[in-house]
Amino acid sequence: MPTDSTPRKRPEDWLSAAEPEKTRGRFKVFLGYAPGVGKTFSMLSEGIRRRQRGEDVVIGVIETHGRKGTAELASKLEHVPLREIDYKGTLFSEMDVDAILARKPQVVLIDELAHSNIASSRTTKRYEDVLILLDANIDVLSTINVQHVESLTPRIQSLTGVPVRETIPDWVLDRADEIVISDLTPEALVTRMRRGDIYPLDRTERALANFFRRGNLIALREMALHRVTRAVDRTLDDYVKRKQLGPQWSVTEKVAVFISASAQARDLIARGARLAEGLDGELYVLHVQSKSDDAPDRKRTLDASLQFATNLGAQIIHLTGKSIPSTTAAYVSEHRITQAIFGHSALHGLRKYLYIFALQRFMSEAPHVDLHIITHESS
């Protein structure tokens, strides 16, 4: 038993002891849909708040683009000096990763995540520098615009007509512990443009007639919001699994198409793809394996259907189990599927009642899912 002279632990001491030791830095990304929406300003504001709370915060690299408000905020934080690199007789300034590692702050601010480093740098891309710092247990705050996300680049180039030269792989953004959207209505962004807050006034009208057209901004904003929704759903998915919560906890629509080795599978997949696109959701194609699928004709039909699904961007899931209703219901519950599509032939007699029984069992074990029955002619 402790004596009166034994130091008493404070509540925060107990909390600290209960928390696992942090071994890797946390990665927070400020995502925008266009230049000027406030990503860098938001990142700097958080850095200043964290420093005021007592954290050791530095700037690794910042791009003010001549914006006065951004420069004023950046002046309130310590800067790690940039590294000068001579490349073909010209001096370039790049973030000095080794200097940051030697300084070892708790938090570092790194602007423009998609930046390509000059040749002879330690790494090729800035996001690779970020990964090094995270592995060194340094928290990183960074910024990026949605057009630099690799999977979205072709669509955005087609939409805006503006080439995107610097990108990051999608998996880099997926590794972020937190993604925050720096949002601003297109109307407010255009107002900023006309005030000269983003680019010099002599460049404003040309920018408004090209990349900053209202239609472009609306589409880009929707893509950014969808990307953040995807990140939120991924975080929620981890939380649901950790807390063992119910399958009704979901943000993103998830459409699952259940197929067999039949000629009608392709039609079901196409319908599922249209539904997923209309809901701005994810598409899954599920098949419960059966011994009869080994027959050459059925195998060819199934392989062709799965290839068609892959071409549409679906995630292919192979399941095994004695009971098809229970196996499929378990999957949709665990992975929080929101829409399920089944095919239904014009069955008669016992087969009809067996189908209805199987469907009822599925519905009783996965009551949260919206069920779609697609009728087609029996072959």
Side-chain angles (χ1 to χ4, degrees), residues 112-127:
E112 300 193 354
L113 184 62
H115 172 79
S116 298
N117 295 330
I118 199 69
S120 79
S121 297
R122 175 171 176 168
T123 59
T124 303
K125 299 286 291 186
R126 186 166 287 169
Y127 73 78

Side-chain angles (χ1 to χ4, degrees), residues 74-121:
S75 67
K76 297 179 181 180
L77 291 170
E78 175 188 342
H79 291 244
V80 174
L82 299 176
R83 181 185 176 200
E84 298 292 332
I85 299 176
D86 187 330
Y87 180 67
K88 295 183 177 180
T90 303
L91 277 180
F92 293 87
S93 297
E94 292 286 8
M95 184 175 73
D96 194 334
V97 181
D98 293 321
I100 297 171
L101 291 170
R103 170 66 176 73
K104 198 161 179 60
Q106 290 176 283
V107 186
V108 60
L109 277 56
I110 299 176
D111 214 0
E112 300 193 354
L113 184 62
H115 172 79
S116 298
N117 295 330
I118 199 69
S120 79
S121 297

Side-chain angles (χ1 to χ4, degrees), residues 39 49 61 134 148 180 282 287 305 338 357:
K39 304 178 304 298
R49 288 194 300 272
V61 63
L134 291 171
H148 298 292
V180 178
E282 300 172 3
H287 171 252
S305 297
T338 59
F357 174 77

Side-chain angles (χ1 to χ4, degrees), residues 2-306:
T3 64
D4 292 341
S5 60
T6 303
R8 295 183 181 274
K9 282 191 175 184
R10 300 169 299 168
E12 52 267 34
D13 295 329
W14 289 106
L15 182 62
S16 176
E19 291 178 344
E21 184 179 355
K22 179 170 167 280
T23 58
R24 184 179 182 276
R26 286 186 58 81
F27 184 25
K28 183 170 183 176
V29 176
F30 292 84
L31 176 70
Y33 69 88
V37 296
K39 304 178 304 298
T40 303
F41 194 92
S42 297
M43 178 181 69
L44 287 166
S45 297
E46 172 156 340
I48 291 169
R49 288 194 300 272
R50 292 175 71 158
R51 190 197 61 179
Q52 291 170 342
R53 294 198 300 262
E55 296 183 59
D56 183 14
V57 181
V58 301
I59 291 175
V61 63
I62 203 79
E63 301 288 351
T64 66
H65 298 289
R67 296 165 194 162
K68 184 178 178 182
T70 303
E72 288 177 355
L73 280 186
S75 67
K76 297 179 181 180
L77 291 170
E78 175 188 342
H79 291 244
V80 174
L82 299 176
R83 181 185 176 200
E84 298 292 332
I85 299 176
D86 187 330
Y87 180 67
K88 295 183 177 180
T90 303
L91 277 180
F92 293 87
S93 297
E94 292 286 8
M95 184 175 73
D96 194 334
V97 181
D98 293 321
I100 297 171
L101 291 170
R103 170 66 176 73
K104 198 161 179 60
Q106 290 176 283
V107 186
V108 60
L109 277 56
I110 299 176
D111 214 0
E112 300 193 354
L113 184 62
H115 172 79
S116 298
N117 295 330
I118 199 69
S120 79
S121 297
R122 175 171 176 168
T123 59
T124 303
K125 299 286 291 186
R126 186 166 287 169
Y127 73 78
E128 296 174 312
D129 296 332
V130 166
L131 296 176
I132 292 171
L133 296 171
L134 291 171
D135 287 340
N137 204 11
I138 298 172
D139 291 352
V140 176
L141 307 183
S142 192
T143 66
I144 190 171
N145 276 329
V146 73
Q147 63 263 33
H148 298 292
V149 180
E150 195 168 57
S151 65
L152 298 176
T153 297
R155 181 180 170 192
I156 291 173
Q157 287 187 160
S158 176
L159 174 74
T160 64
V162 177
V164 180
R165 295 182 177 86
E166 296 183 314
T167 63
I168 65 166
D170 289 51
W171 63 262
V172 175
L173 208 54
D174 289 339
R175 284 189 63 173
D177 298 287
E178 186 177 357
I179 299 177
V180 178
I181 189 164
S182 297
D183 195 26
L184 193 68
T185 66
E187 292 77 14
L189 183 58
V190 169
T191 299
R192 280 189 182 179
M193 288 282 295
R194 295 194 186 282
R195 286 202 308 254
D197 294 345
I198 301 173
Y199 297 133
L201 288 173
D202 59 352
R203 294 173 55 191
T204 296
E205 291 306 320
R206 185 175 61 182
L208 289 172
N210 293 286
F211 186 88
F212 285 82
R213 291 196 305 271
R214 187 171 184 274
N216 287 355
L217 297 179
I218 292 171
L220 290 167
R221 188 186 188 205
E222 181 183 352
M223 291 183 212
L225 289 168
H226 180 260
R227 189 74 199 198
V228 172
T229 300
R230 170 177 158 177
V232 170
D233 195 62
R234 189 177 67 250
T235 303
L236 178 62
D237 192 50
D238 293 339
Y239 179 80
V240 167
K241 289 178 180 177
R242 193 167 63 250
K243 298 294 184 180
Q244 298 183 336
L245 301 177
Q248 70 277 8
W249 287 67
S250 188
V251 175
T252 301
E253 291 281 355
K254 298 180 179 180
V255 179
V257 181
F258 298 88
I259 67 168
S260 63
S262 69
Q264 290 77 25
R266 187 183 180 98
D267 180 55
L268 292 179
I269 294 167
R271 286 173 181 252
R274 290 196 295 271
L275 179 61
E277 183 178 7
L279 295 172
D280 202 15
E282 300 172 3
L283 177 63
Y284 297 75
V285 171
L286 282 71
H287 171 252
V288 179
Q289 295 178 358
S290 167
K291 289 183 179 179
S292 63
D293 295 335
D294 294 333
D297 288 349
R298 291 180 63 83
K299 188 176 187 305
R300 279 194 299 271
T301 301
L302 179 61
D303 288 345
S305 297
L306 295 177

Side-chain angles (χ1 to χ4, degrees), residues 247-248 329 332-338 363 365-370:
Q248 70 277 8
V332 302
S333 296
E334 180 183 353
H335 295 273
R336 296 180 295 119
I337 300 297
T338 59
M363 292 169 65
E365 296 183 21
H368 70 284
V369 71
D370 290 346

